[in-house]
Amino acid sequence: MMTTLPSHELSDADALCTRLDSFLMARFNYKTSCARRSDLSTNITAKRKKFDLYIRVYEHKDKLWGGRALILSRIGFEKTRQGHGTALLKLLVNFGQEHRYDVIGIEYGNTPSIQGFADKYGFKKVSDGNHFTARVPSLAAEF
């Protein structure tokens, strides 16, 4: 039997997973849960025919990313150029503001479509040029 904590006692990863799950179910018209958090980490996965997402939640300051970070490690949608990525980014920005995250990052964004998305929203390259990061307040100003 699994014990459910009151929402004010959920970890950030659990809270984001719940919010992401509701978002995906509504946006893609699924009736069953889509997102889950790893039992041993703060990583969130959501994979169905219409999308494939993997998000890392750094609840404590991370040196590479420059603070508390929400990182898109894998992002894919069956139908592209439909606004799914932008809607997901808005969800992450709102969550980041509410939970005081510093940055949103994109890990290994080395495809032209991801690079274009990163450029569109003002993400800057970090590390070896395959990763992108943007400050949550800067992204919030975009929306």
Side-chain angles (χ1 to χ4, degrees):
M1 181 174 167
M2 189 168 105
T3 305
T4 304
L5 297 172
S7 61
H8 65 280
E9 294 181 28
L10 292 177
S11 72
D12 286 355
D14 289 324
L16 179 58
C17 186
T18 299
R19 190 174 302 181
L20 178 65
D21 194 47
S22 296
F23 165 80
L24 294 170
M25 289 172 63
R27 186 160 185 103
F28 295 99
N29 201 26
Y30 283 106
K31 292 182 178 16
T32 59
S33 185
C34 302
R36 67 178 183 81
R37 186 184 66 80
S38 171
D39 292 336
L40 301 175
S41 69
T42 57
N43 299 333
I44 299 168
T45 58
K47 186 172 184 175
R48 292 286 176 92
K49 181 181 185 222
K50 297 179 181 180
F51 53 82
D52 183 8
L53 305 171
Y54 189 86
I55 301 171
R56 298 181 196 279
V57 179
Y58 291 95
E59 295 179 354
H60 305 287
K61 293 193 178 207
D62 184 80
K63 191 174 186 177
L64 171 68
W65 297 105
R68 287 171 37 95
L70 302 171
I71 307 301
L72 286 162
S73 295
R74 189 173 61 232
I75 179 170
F77 295 101
E78 178 185 47
K79 293 184 180 178
T80 60
R81 306 201 55 82
Q82 303 288 311
H84 303 313
T86 298
L88 175 62
L89 182 58
K90 285 180 185 177
L91 177 134
L92 293 175
V93 168
N94 289 336
F95 185 88
Q97 287 180 301
E98 292 168 17
H99 293 265
R100 296 188 177 121
Y101 278 80
D102 302 304
V103 297
I104 294 175
I106 301 171
E107 196 172 57
Y108 296 106
N110 49 8
T111 65
S113 61
I114 295 295
Q115 289 175 356
F117 182 83
D119 289 342
K120 178 179 178 179
Y121 290 105
F123 283 78
K124 304 293 181 208
K125 288 185 179 183
V126 296
S127 187
D128 62 1
N130 288 322
H131 306 312
F132 296 90
T133 187
R135 310 289 303 163
V136 171
S138 299
L139 288 168
E142 293 283 329
F143 302 113

